[in-house]
Amino acid sequence: MNDDIPFDKSFALTPNQVQDVAPGVRAIAADNPGPFTFKGTVSYIIGRDQVAIIDPGPDDASHVAALLEAVRGETVTHIFVTHTHRDHSPAAAMVKAATGAIVLAQGPHRLARPLHTSEVRRLDASADLGFRPDVALVDGETVHGQGWTLEAVTTPGHTANHMAFAFKEANLLMAWSTTIGAPPDGAMTDYMASLHKLARRSEPLYLSGHGAPVRDAPRYVQYLIRHRQAREGSILHRLAKGEADIPTIVRAVYIGLDPRLAGAAALSVFAHLEELVARGAVITEGSPSIAGRYRLA
C-alpha cells in the first residue's frame, strides 16, 4: 500500500464562524492559517446551555470574541486544552477570565526527555510555557457536564503533555493531532505508542485540531502507523548507502517537499533517528543531535 496519508484537504469552516460538525459539537476555526496549522486551529464547543470548550486557541482577540459570541446566553463550565502549543492553549486565560470556567489539561508544557549536554530547547517560541491548568487530568479520567461526558486520553508524541478527549455520548474523539513532535518537546517512541493505543479504541470519528473530521478513524490510524514505519525504512535505506547528516537524509526521503517545511522535516527525521539510536539500529557520536552525523550500527 502507498505510504501516503489520505489527508482530507477539504475544510468547510469559515474563520471565526461557528458551525455544527457532529451531534452536540460546534466548531470555530481561528484565522491563523499556515504551513503548520493548515487552514487554522479548530476550537470546539461541547453541549448546549452548560457547555465545555476544547482548545480555545491562540492569543487572538477576534477568535476569543467569536468563541464568546457563539456561547452567548450559555454557561461555559469547563475549558479543556489538548496541549501547550501557542495555537491551542493561550486563549484559555482570556476565556476563563470572561466566563469563570475551570481549565483542565494533562499539565503544563514539559520536555519529553532531559536536554543533552549543549542542547537547546528548539521549540520554545511555539510553546505556551506559562500555561497552568486548574485541574491536571490523568489518563482515563472522566469529566461530566450537562449532557456530555469526556474521557481524557493521554496521547504524547506531538508534545509530552498531549491529551485527546473521547466524547462518550457521541462516540468520537476530540482534537486529535496527527502531526508528530520534535525532540526534546516530543518523542517518536511516545508518538508510536500513542498511535497503537488509538488503534485499540473503537471511535469511528476524530475531530481534528487542524482540518476536516477524520472518518473511518481506526483505518486512518493504521495509515499513520504504516506511514511512520515507511519513513523509518526510507531513513535506514539512505543510511545503508553511507553516513549522512540530517539535511542529506531529508533531501533523500522527502521528495518535492515544500521549502517552508524543511525545518519540520529535519526535526521529524531527528525524532526517528533518536529512536533508532535508542534501539541500537543507528549510531552517532555522543548523544543524538540535530547537527549530528548518523550511520548504521
Side-chain angles (χ1 to χ4, degrees), residues 12-245:
L13 298 178
T14 301
N16 294 329
Q17 297 294 314
V18 66
Q19 182 174 318
D20 292 329
V21 292
V25 185
R26 291 166 278 171
I28 301 179
D31 191 11
N32 63 335
F36 300 102
T37 57
F38 190 45
K39 299 296 180 65
T41 304
V42 184
S43 302
Y44 293 99
I45 303 167
I46 310 299
R48 294 284 179 179
D49 299 325
Q50 295 188 27
V51 305
I53 292 175
I54 296 180
D55 277 358
D59 182 3
D60 180 334
S62 63
H63 183 63
V64 172
L67 271 176
L68 295 177
E69 178 62 29
V71 297
R72 181 184 293 274
E74 299 179 294
T75 300
V76 181
T77 58
H78 299 73
I79 301 165
F80 293 86
V81 171
T82 61
H83 66 291
T84 45
H85 278 159
R86 289 187 178 274
D87 59 321
H88 288 265
S89 59
M94 290 178 280
V95 176
K96 175 182 171 66
T99 65
I102 61 171
V103 179
L104 306 92
Q106 196 274 335
H109 195 80
R110 69 178 193 278
L111 300 181
R113 57 156 174 78
L115 290 173
H116 299 316
T117 303
S118 301
E119 187 178 22
V120 298
R121 297 177 62 136
R122 303 181 62 86
L123 301 178
D124 276 4
S126 66
D128 184 4
L129 299 177
F131 175 84
R132 298 291 185 278
D134 298 316
V135 177
L137 298 171
V138 298
D139 188 45
E141 188 171 353
T142 56
V143 181
H144 301 274
Q146 182 176 290
W148 55 263
T149 305
L150 293 181
E151 176 195 353
V153 183
T154 52
T155 48
H158 182 52
T159 60
N161 67 348
H162 195 282
M163 178 171 275
F165 299 98
F167 181 14
K168 307 303 284 187
E169 287 81 358
N171 193 29
L172 58 82
L173 196 75
M174 304 290 306
W176 163 246
S177 172
T178 60
T179 307
I180 71 157
D185 293 67
M188 182 61 66
T189 300
D190 290 343
Y191 179 71
M192 294 303 294
S194 292
L195 289 179
H196 286 290
K197 177 180 183 176
L198 291 176
R200 296 190 293 272
R201 298 185 66 91
S202 60
E203 290 90 355
L205 176 68
Y206 292 175
L207 297 183
S208 175
H210 302 278
V214 176
R215 306 185 189 281
D216 195 6
R219 183 168 178 262
Y220 186 76
V221 170
Q222 293 299 327
Y223 269 108
L224 293 174
I225 291 170
R226 287 193 288 270
H227 176 76
R228 282 294 135 205
Q229 291 170 338
R231 186 71 75 202
E232 177 184 295
S234 296
I235 292 170
L236 292 172
H237 178 74
R238 172 56 189 84
L239 292 179
K241 299 178 181 179
E243 182 179 275
D245 60 11

Side-chain angles (χ1 to χ4, degrees), residues 277 283-289:
V277 169
I283 56 178
T284 186
E285 296 300 322
S287 299
S289 74

